[in-house]
Structure formats: C-alpha cells, structure tokens
Amino acid sequence: MADIRHTTAGDTSQRPGAPARFKDLALDARDHHALADWWCEVMGYVRRPAAAGEEQPRARPVPIVDPAGRGPLIWINPVTELKTVKNRMHLDVWGDTGRLLRLGATLVRKRDEDIAWDVLADPEGNEFCVFAPPEATTGPGEGS
C-alpha cells in the first residue's frame, strides 16, 4: 500500500497569502517533566535552556528542541485531566517500533494491509504513528 502521507522533510515553502503557518507542536501531560524527558530520549531532543537570568518554574510548560535544528519545537504542557479520547491530531515519526515499545510506548494498532505504519501511544496515552525510516523501506535502485 502506498504511503500517501509522506512529505519531504525540511520543506519550508508556503503558499502566498496563506492566513497561517506552522509554529510549534504542543502535547498535554499530567507529568509534563517525565513526558518531556521521554520524548527527548526517543527523538534525540533536548530541553530548551532558559534564557540567561530567566528561571523556569517547575509548573510551566517544558519546551524541547532538536539540537540539530531540523525538527520543530515541542511544548509539553501540564494538565490536570487524564487523556480520555483519541487524539484528533498526532505526531508522525520515522522510527523503530520495537525500541519505542521497550522505552515505554504502547502498541495501539500494528501496521497491516490497511495501514503502512504502527500506531503507538506515549506513556501519557498520546497517540503517534511510526513509519519505517525511508532508508529501511527502499530496495536497490529505489529512493534517493
């Protein structure tokens, strides 16, 4: 099955006159510090340092960033309520499902004849889709 959701990483083009453009991602969490650490570990992200002289109170959202500058800024926001329904928006990542499961993710749906990705949930229940890395899915003479 063809993956119709694939987009080119790093594409910064925008249609002229568009009323909005992408800024950041935000995830809600009851334990926002633990979830920030989990996403840092699985994505290779780091906590964004506070500005010089700025204190970051523990109750504030935790910003995490890609140290290579390729990925978006992600805010892990503290909330008091548990996640109760399916996400209406989620992350798509390239990754190793087995390793993510060993690091604490939960399998929601395994790839099958209908979908070419695995659906996982982070430790707080936020769903995300895991695609095989492009280099792992291209055969000889395929891909870039």
Side-chain angles (χ1 to χ4, degrees):
M1 165 177 241
D3 176 6
I4 60 172
R5 299 188 313 168
H6 176 75
T7 58
T8 303
D11 181 3
T12 58
S13 62
Q14 181 179 341
R15 290 183 21 201
R21 66 184 176 89
F22 183 81
K23 180 182 176 297
D24 304 327
L25 291 173
L27 296 173
D28 292 344
R30 291 195 56 177
D31 185 346
H32 63 298
H33 285 276
L35 194 63
D37 292 341
W38 189 84
W39 279 105
C40 283
E41 182 174 3
V42 303
M43 295 284 290
Y45 271 44
V46 296
R47 288 177 180 233
R48 185 177 73 181
E54 180 183 292
E55 184 182 329
Q56 268 188 316
R58 188 155 175 82
R60 298 213 41 210
V62 177
I64 62 174
V65 296
D66 177 353
R70 290 188 302 263
L73 170 65
I74 302 175
W75 291 91
I76 311 296
N77 298 319
V79 296
T80 56
E81 69 276 359
L82 290 171
K83 182 184 163 298
T84 58
V85 296
K86 182 184 182 304
N87 296 21
R88 295 291 301 227
M89 186 179 289
H90 63 270
L91 303 178
D92 282 355
V93 301
W94 283 299
D96 180 331
T97 296
R99 287 183 62 199
L100 289 163
L101 292 171
R102 286 188 295 280
L103 290 168
T106 304
L107 182 64
V108 175
R109 181 177 176 189
K110 189 160 181 56
R111 70 188 75 211
D112 57 32
E113 64 278 349
D114 294 327
I115 61 171
W117 55 91
D118 292 319
V119 180
L120 274 59
D122 70 19
E124 291 257 351
N126 299 301
E127 290 99 353
F128 61 102
C129 296
V130 181
F131 293 78
E135 61 273 8
T137 59
T138 57
E142 296 178 37
S144 52

